Amino acid sequence: MVASDVPTLDPQRIRELFDLRSDVYAARGGAFETDPYPAFHQLRETGPVHPGIVGPLVGFHGEAFFQGLPYPELPHFSVFDHATCQSVLRDNDTFVSAPSAPGPERAMADTLLLYMDGVKHRRYRALVQPSFVPKRGGWWSERWIESTVRALLDAIEPLGRSDLNVDFCAAIPLLTICGSFGIGVSDALRIREAATADGRDAHTLVDILAPIIAERRREPADDLISVLVQAEVTEEDGERHRLSDVDILGFSHLLLAAGSGTTWKQMGITLLALLTHPQWLAAARADRAVLRAAIEESLRWTPTDPMFSRYATKDTTLGGVDVPAGSVIHLCFGAANRDPARWERPDEFDPSRPPGAHLGFGGGPHICLGMHVARAEILTAISALLDRLPNLRLDPDAETPRIIGMYERGPTAVPVVWG
Ligand code: HEM
């Protein structure tokens, strides 16, 4: 990736691909305007676990797939408190990530880390984990994050106003993860389009990635795709082998989708939280330790992905509710993160609260692989904004931005002015 190409990204196309109100996000309730937190509290007050699916339980009646289906025949339960979510995340005998019932998730369990379990999950995750540990933060920052942030700010700074959601937050994680795959700026938006869950455009991914995989097999470089190409996995029978192209494409699909589709929204949520709490914006400007705390607090206060699911392997009792084997268990991290049993004044955005185990990045063996990269992206990006744009504030002439969405939450816009 060449940093000077960064400003050439088509802003109109970014606007279309990174708009929660667009068709791309319809099935995940991108345009859902209701604040779900009062309903989360009400549900939790009557019990930690409820039969049903998070969306419909709080008034979102969208398309079937993301109401927790495609398993309409299975029983569904949703968890709203912190302690029960944690117990499900940690009990990997009773609750697994891949359903045994046939369906799309079952089919993806062979190649997609997110749906693998047990030993296979540990083995495959171990192949890429070393590239994502905090020690490797410098590798990500120096190779991709800092140059992208600088190039974007060079383009924005003279303008005096911007919708940071589009001009800044969307581009940084997309170009970082594409850069780490050796994908150029000119293909980045095609990748984003193809990698979104609804796009399901495997052909574009293969078209762009296959030549890069072949090239790195011939001559590895200092990037993530070379890590995947060189990785050797040991199977249960002790046999060692390199990853197949299908394995690499599965990894790539997940990383490109997860890497480009989450951090932009969380960065926007963090920015909006700071811009609407000027005392915290000033404190973060004066001391970047406060900015770090504000990023963690935004992940607790409004995690961009507030729900993930597990499947019960046996009959069990969860939060006092009988759960039959095969049930789908929806863990509402959003609700758990505002559990008053865990946090005082849970609805308040307060970066000074003591650090605690929020579930913004999940927990247990599937805890977000990219969390340190995401933190580095948000910290580098907002630090640079504070360094370079004096008197950064919400644009008083723009429509008031709102945080919207059901299963993917983020701002409608982050309109700012400076100077
Ligand atoms: C602020 C941004 C992000 C948030 C809020 C987030 C959130 C999450 C959550 C909650 C999970 C757990 C899913 C589960 O338990 O089933 C997860 C998993 C994952 N995330 Fe992230 N993520 C973010 C950024 C990233 C980035 C930047 C990458 C890649 C560069 C990434 C890659 C992954 C992968 C590969 C997994 C699956 C891990 C596994 O199954 O072992 N994420 N993420």
Side-chain angles (χ1 to χ4, degrees), residues 89 97 112-116 121 125 128 132 140 173 177 180 224 251 254-256 258-267 299 303-305 308-310 331 333 359-363 365-371 373-375 377-378:
L89 289 168
S97 292
L112 223 57
L113 196 64
L114 199 56
Y115 298 112
M116 291 178 190
H121 174 256
R125 184 162 165 135
V128 281
F132 288 91
W140 288 89
I177 196 70
S180 76
L224 200 54
F251 257 119
L254 175 62
L255 287 166
L256 288 164
S260 65
T262 45
T263 315
W264 68 283
K265 290 175 278 139
Q266 199 69 53
M267 195 186 297
L299 281 151
T304 177
D305 290 356
F308 280 88
S309 307
R310 296 292 185 270
L331 302 176
F333 297 155
L359 299 179
F361 286 124
H366 287 271
I367 194 166
C368 178
L369 178 74
M371 64 184 172
V373 177
R375 286 179 173 127
E377 288 172 332
I378 302 177

Side-chain angles (χ1 to χ4, degrees), residues 82 297 300 336-346 353-359:
H82 190 266
E297 175 65 349
R300 181 202 69 81
N337 274 358
R338 293 204 196 178
D339 183 344
R342 185 69 190 70
W343 284 279
E344 284 174 21
R345 301 166 285 104
R353 62 176 75 245
H358 68 69
L359 299 179

Side-chain angles (χ1 to χ4, degrees), residues 7-152:
T8 63
L9 278 181
D10 174 1
Q12 187 50 36
R13 199 71 198 105
I14 303 189
R15 201 172 294 279
E16 286 159 9
L17 287 173
F18 291 89
D19 181 352
L20 284 176
R21 290 162 294 187
S22 74
D23 291 349
V24 176
Y25 294 96
R28 278 163 280 171
F32 186 66
E33 289 263 355
T34 313
D35 174 3
Y37 284 95
F40 289 164
H41 286 313
Q42 271 173 12
L43 285 156
R44 197 193 311 97
E45 275 160 21
T46 56
V49 178
H50 290 256
I53 300 162
V54 175
L57 284 169
V58 305
F60 167 63
H61 300 283
E63 288 174 36
F65 184 85
F66 286 99
Q67 285 180 36
L69 309 177
Y71 296 109
E73 70 288 0
L74 299 181
H76 289 253
F77 295 88
S78 296
V79 182
F80 293 95
D81 74 322
H82 190 266
T84 315
C85 277
Q86 283 279 37
S87 68
V88 171
L89 289 168
R90 286 176 181 163
D91 179 355
N92 307 123
D93 290 329
T94 316
F95 303 102
V96 293
S97 292
S100 46
E105 278 92 350
R106 178 66 257 154
M108 287 190 280
D110 284 339
T111 50
L112 223 57
L113 196 64
L114 199 56
Y115 298 112
M116 291 178 190
D117 284 297
V119 178
K120 176 158 183 175
H121 174 256
R122 273 201 296 285
R123 288 207 174 106
Y124 276 73
R125 184 162 165 135
L127 300 177
V128 281
Q129 181 91 40
S131 302
F132 288 91
V133 293
K135 223 171 44 191
R136 288 298 264 166
W139 184 67
W140 288 89
S141 292
E142 282 150 32
R143 287 187 61 75
W144 300 291
I145 303 173
E146 284 166 10
S147 54
T148 303
V149 167
R150 208 175 312 118
L152 287 167

Side-chain angles (χ1 to χ4, degrees), residues 199-223:
R200 294 193 196 102
D201 177 2
H203 295 299
T204 304
L205 282 181
V206 174
D207 279 356
I208 296 174
L209 285 171
I212 305 177
I213 295 172
E215 202 179 306
R216 298 299 193 273
R217 283 206 194 279
R218 275 194 305 276
E219 195 177 338
D222 185 19
D223 56 20

